[in-house]
């Protein structure tokens, strides 16, 4: 299958491209800097320019039968007025531009669009959340709703569309775990706030496998939670990571400290969501790393003081 990807040189994109190539697919990427993106990817990948704001020629899709859309402004930054505008534009308007090019091209049959568990909002008191639950009512939830609404426009013109609501992706090379490791290795790690909020995590290998599964299984469409079947509280996450590293994890980051540093964005870490991957499991997807302790040991095989 000919697959076109956005965000191909990022935290998830590079692994996705390699996995698609290993599975026998051909890959075309869309990027602001095509030369730089191709330099980070295996030989044989082709590319076209895409900045997420200007109209995209249907020819830029490279005759793709499938599109995977991962590009977007990082959410884990202080949400200033300008940052909010960038996040909204990159996620919502960028998806709109891409879907319009898909509509005009007429060749795309399968569309996998990244979304986030932020769709469900925070402060839901540990309630287990599935794809059937209502969205939240905060900034990130509104971004995810707009993002998914634009992705759904592809389904309206006959493109099978999967909206992956991705949780906290774990890998030492990037994301939350990358930022936590130095602190926990020093023995200065611990829970955030009261620690009761849930962390809906997923091993990077599993989220990449689920993306490929979504591409290759035509019965799967609509919203799909890309999270481990066993979310844990923040306190449990900290305790487990400390145990894997053989370091104490007894300290606490007070909520007001996080709010002082990150402002409104701190709510993401202080409230969390308990998200369950019901539709992925019902479709037959098997998580290779469903348990946090095993997942962390797999990611940190040489952990220890």
């Amino acid at each position: 299958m000919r697959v076109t990807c956005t965000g191909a040189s990022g935290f998830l994109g590079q692994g996705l491209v390699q996995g698609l190539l290993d599975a026998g697919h051909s890959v075309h990427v869309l990027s602001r800097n095509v030369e730089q993106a191709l330099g980070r990817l295996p030989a044989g990948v082709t590319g076209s320019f895409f900045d997420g704001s200007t109209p995209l020629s249907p020819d830029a899709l490279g005759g793709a039968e499938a599109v995977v859309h991962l590009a977007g402004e990082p959410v884990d930054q202080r949400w200033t007025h300008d940052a909010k505008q960038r996040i909204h534009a990159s996620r919502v308007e960028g998806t709109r531009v891409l879907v319009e090019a898909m509509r005009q091209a007429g060749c795309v049959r399968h569309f996998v669009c990244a979304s986030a568990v932020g769709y469900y909002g925070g402060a839901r008191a540990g309630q287990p959340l599935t794809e059937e639950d209502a969205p939240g009512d905060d900034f990130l939830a509104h971004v995810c709703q707009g993002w998914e609404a634009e992705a759904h426009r592809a389904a309206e013109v006959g493109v099978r569309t999967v909206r992956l609501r991705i949780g906290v992706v774990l890998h030492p090379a990037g994301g939350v775990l990358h930022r936590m490791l130095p602190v926990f290795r020093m023995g200065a790690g611990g829970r955030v706030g009261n620690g009761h909020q849930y962390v809906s995590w997923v091993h990077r290998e599993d989220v990449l496998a689920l993306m490929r599964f979504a591409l290759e299984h035509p019965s799967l469409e609509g919203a799909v939670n890309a999270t481990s079947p066993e979310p844990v509280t923040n306190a449990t996450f900290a305790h487990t990571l400390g145990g894997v590293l053989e370091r104490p994890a007894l300290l606490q980051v007070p909520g007001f400290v996080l709010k002082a540093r990150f402002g409104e964005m701190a709510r993401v870490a202080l409230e969390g969501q308990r998200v369950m991957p019901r539709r992925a499991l019902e479709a037959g997807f098997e998580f290779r790393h469903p348990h946090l302790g095993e997942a962390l040991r797999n990611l940190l095989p040489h952990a220890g003081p």
Side-chain angles (χ1 to χ4, degrees), residues 187-200:
R191 60 187 169 92
V192 174
N194 62 25
H196 297 163
Q197 70 276 26
Y198 272 82
V199 179
S200 293

Side-chain angles (χ1 to χ4, degrees), residues 100-294:
E100 177 59 23
M102 290 164 51
R103 186 190 67 78
Q104 293 180 33
C107 56
V108 179
R109 297 289 176 265
H110 315 283
F111 181 37
V112 176
C113 182
S115 182
V117 294
Y119 174 91
Y120 300 105
R124 301 187 82 152
Q127 170 193 352
L129 300 166
T130 73
E131 294 86 353
E132 304 302 318
D133 281 285
D137 189 27
D138 54 32
F139 167 69
L140 190 53
H142 291 157
V143 168
C144 290
Q145 290 170 65
W147 191 0
E148 292 194 19
E150 294 300 331
H152 185 68
R153 291 177 59 241
E156 294 172 352
V157 294
V159 178
R160 182 180 66 89
T161 300
V162 178
R163 308 184 308 276
L164 282 183
R165 294 172 182 164
I166 301 172
V168 177
V169 180
L170 300 185
H171 196 277
V176 169
L177 185 59
H178 176 73
R179 293 192 295 274
M180 294 174 71
L181 281 174
V183 176
F184 274 74
R185 281 176 168 147
M186 290 189 298
R191 60 187 169 92
V192 174
N194 62 25
H196 297 163
Q197 70 276 26
Y198 272 82
V199 179
S200 293
W201 63 275
V202 63
H203 191 296
R204 188 169 73 170
E205 182 181 345
D206 277 331
V207 75
L208 295 178
L210 184 53
M211 288 177 187
R212 297 193 300 272
F213 183 92
L215 280 176
E216 296 167 354
H217 286 73
S219 62
L220 189 62
E221 58 185 319
V224 177
N225 291 333
T227 60
S228 159
E230 295 188 8
V232 298
T233 65
N234 178 273
T236 297
F237 189 99
H239 175 77
T240 305
L241 178 56
V244 169
L245 294 172
E246 300 180 18
R247 304 296 295 167
L250 304 176
L251 300 181
Q252 176 195 11
V253 179
F256 71 84
V257 171
L258 214 61
K259 290 176 182 176
R261 181 174 180 183
F262 294 106
E264 184 183 352
M265 198 279 286
R267 293 181 58 181
V268 174
L270 292 171
E271 296 179 351
Q273 304 93 6
R274 187 181 183 183
V275 178
M276 311 303 296
R278 188 177 74 179
R279 297 205 62 227
L281 294 172
E282 289 176 348
F285 181 76
E286 296 183 6
F287 287 84
R288 294 185 183 182
H289 308 283
H291 310 297
L292 180 63
E294 182 280 326

Side-chain angles (χ1 to χ4, degrees), residues 23-47:
H25 303 293
S26 61
V27 178
H28 184 79
V29 302
L30 301 177
S31 174
R32 279 190 173 91
N33 189 326
V34 177
E35 182 178 359
Q36 183 180 79
L38 294 180
R40 296 176 178 174
L41 298 171
V45 176
T46 57

